[in-house]
Amino acid sequence: MSVLIFIDSAEGHVKKASLEVLTYGAKVAEQLGVAAEGVILGTVTEDLAALGKYGVKKIHHVANAALDHLDAQVYTRVIAQVAEATGATVIIFSNNVDGKAIAPRLSVRLKAGLVSGAIGLPDTSNGGFTVKKNVFSGKAFANISVKTNIKIIALNPNAYKTETREGTAEVVSFNATVDPGKVKVTKVTKASGEVPLTEAEIVVSAGRGLKGPENWGMVEDLAKALHAALACSRPVADAHWRPHNEHVGQTGIAIAPNLYIAIGISGAIQHLAGVNRSKVIVVINKDPEAPFFKAADYGIVGDAFEIVPKLTAAVKKMKGIT
Ligand SMILES: Cc1cc2nc3c(=O)[nH]c(=O)nc-3n(C[C@H](O)[C@H](O)[C@H](O)COP(=O)(O)OP(=O)(O)OC[C@H]3O[C@@H](n4cnc5c(N)ncnc54)[C@H](O)[C@@H]3O)c2cc1C
């Protein structure tokens, strides 16, 4: 019996979300009195043994270059082999783009109950296994009791704090059967922007209050000063003021940075659904009645065209940027 944690990586590097699931998975393993093991697929350039500091004891590395790009069907079949070989009873993913693609498929393959969007450790008292998750775009919680022998949890990014301890992991090579898959990646075009949105600690986002694409320079300046990623509301992307890969919300990307700065965004429920897991939300809006202020930790009522340049100047001064 073991807890198996999927270590998500890109271009050979372990993603930040993986460190959260490693910490979380190690805690689940401790609760159940079993070992925490990891699985990572494809070419990796990082020192995997060092991931032991997040509590994982053993890492199974399927170092096959055919797995360098995500193909959810192929990944599912490989992870299923590792799960079967390790006798995993709990399998943990980040509920990020990759986790959302793999976990449901693995759930069907292994006939395992799945809780996606988990936000806390399972309650294992009295022999049960109940996991708390967000529902209705974060408006309510549900406690899901999982009764299957194998259980899968997809943990929301930023829902669990990364912790380190002493220790290194044993890294073992896993010889899996990797079938060719039905999809072939022929070209990868990276989205523009200095910081990837889903990995960013800080996100600066703007909406229709900016009036037009010609005014995004001040938003970009603030993002650059803060080393933040850029995001926008849906109407902004629909109007082609900004690319669709920056659109956050119910129908866009869901993010959970440490700091989300919303400029000229009203705070519609569909927008909040994608950003309300941010640790700290700062809202800049000229309308004191804007709904976003109810979800904000800090609010500035005023004209973005006056406030944003001042904020950027203050950040630059603080950081000594000329
Ligand atoms: C099924 C469905 C799915 C949707 N999915 C999404 C989604 O994923 N993401 C998303 O964002 N939306 C989504 N929407 C749209 C959503 O309902 C809102 O219409 C949208 O979020 C509003 O965008 P906005 O806040 O930029 O614009 P607006 O609602 O027009 O708000 C602009 C804000 O800017 C403020 N403002 C104006 N001028 C200034 C100024 N000079 N300085 C400061 N503030 C100023 C205004 O007070 C206002 O609050 C969805 C809608 C539906 C029906």
Side-chain angles (χ1 to χ4, degrees):
M1 285 214 327
S2 72
V3 168
L4 185 66
I5 304 150
F6 173 64
I7 305 168
D8 199 2
S9 61
E11 297 177 342
H13 295 287
V14 171
K15 291 186 188 171
K16 175 182 152 248
S18 297
L19 309 183
E20 294 160 16
V21 287
L22 281 168
T23 310
Y24 175 89
K27 281 271 156 56
V28 176
E30 269 168 33
Q31 257 178 254
L32 298 172
V34 300
E37 302 189 12
V39 53
I40 187 162
L41 313 187
T43 310
V44 181
T45 49
E46 266 179 51
D47 175 15
L48 291 177
L51 295 178
K53 68 174 181 247
Y54 300 100
V56 68
K57 302 282 181 233
K58 196 181 210 183
I59 295 175
H60 303 272
H61 183 195
V62 187
N64 187 324
L67 299 167
D68 285 354
H69 294 290
L70 173 73
D71 177 329
Q73 290 174 330
V74 177
Y75 268 45
T76 301
R77 289 192 280 269
V78 172
I79 296 168
Q81 291 172 51
V82 181
E84 276 156 20
T86 55
T89 43
V90 180
I91 306 168
I92 297 173
F93 291 86
S94 171
N95 198 35
N96 61 3
V97 174
D98 293 4
K100 281 178 183 166
I102 307 163
R105 290 183 162 91
L106 192 66
S107 151
V108 173
R109 194 169 190 90
L110 300 180
K111 297 189 171 47
L114 162 68
V115 181
S116 61
I119 54 167
L121 287 167
D123 176 357
T124 51
S125 56
N126 303 322
F129 196 95
T130 302
V131 188
K132 190 174 183 181
K133 65 170 279 180
N134 279 327
V135 287
F136 301 124
S137 304
K139 287 268 170 216
F141 301 117
N143 292 302
I144 310 289
S145 172
V146 190
K147 309 244 186 240
T148 47
N149 290 339
I150 301 175
K151 298 151 178 76
I152 301 179
I153 301 174
L155 178 74
N156 267 347
N158 277 7
Y160 202 79
K161 199 168 174 287
T162 301
E163 279 171 22
T164 55
R165 54 177 99 177
E166 291 286 312
T168 52
E170 179 194 354
V171 181
V172 291
S173 171
F174 190 98
N175 207 355
T177 307
V178 181
D179 53 58
K182 293 180 185 146
V183 179
K184 190 167 173 243
V185 178
T186 51
K187 190 177 165 204
V188 176
T189 308
K190 280 196 181 181
S192 60
E194 288 187 14
V195 187
L197 190 49
T198 48
E199 292 282 297
E201 299 280 346
I202 305 175
V203 174
V204 176
S205 185
R208 214 151 39 180
L210 266 277
K211 318 283 185 235
E214 65 281 6
N215 294 323
W216 243 261
M218 66 176 188
V219 182
E220 286 168 347
D221 284 349
L222 178 59
K224 201 166 174 204
L226 287 167
H227 194 61
L230 286 166
C232 68
S233 65
R234 177 172 154 173
V236 162
D238 285 347
H240 305 293
W241 294 1
R242 298 298 300 175
H244 258 294
N245 58 38
E246 287 182 11
H247 152 203
V248 288
Q250 184 184 318
T251 46
I253 298 171
I255 55 169
N258 287 329
L259 174 61
Y260 182 72
I261 303 178
I263 306 164
I265 302 176
S266 57
I269 177 95
Q270 297 89 355
H271 184 86
L272 291 177
V275 304
N276 59 8
R277 286 187 290 107
S278 308
K279 285 252 157 65
V280 175
I281 296 178
V282 176
V283 170
I284 302 169
N285 198 304
K286 70 174 186 184
D287 174 8
E289 301 297 322
F292 220 148
F293 283 120
K294 290 201 178 82
D297 297 283
Y298 300 94
I300 304 172
V301 179
D303 186 348
F305 294 92
E306 282 174 27
I307 292 161
V308 174
K310 282 185 188 162
L311 192 56
T312 308
V315 171
K316 283 185 173 170
K317 194 174 166 200
M318 194 183 77
K319 290 189 162 188
I321 304 169
T322 46

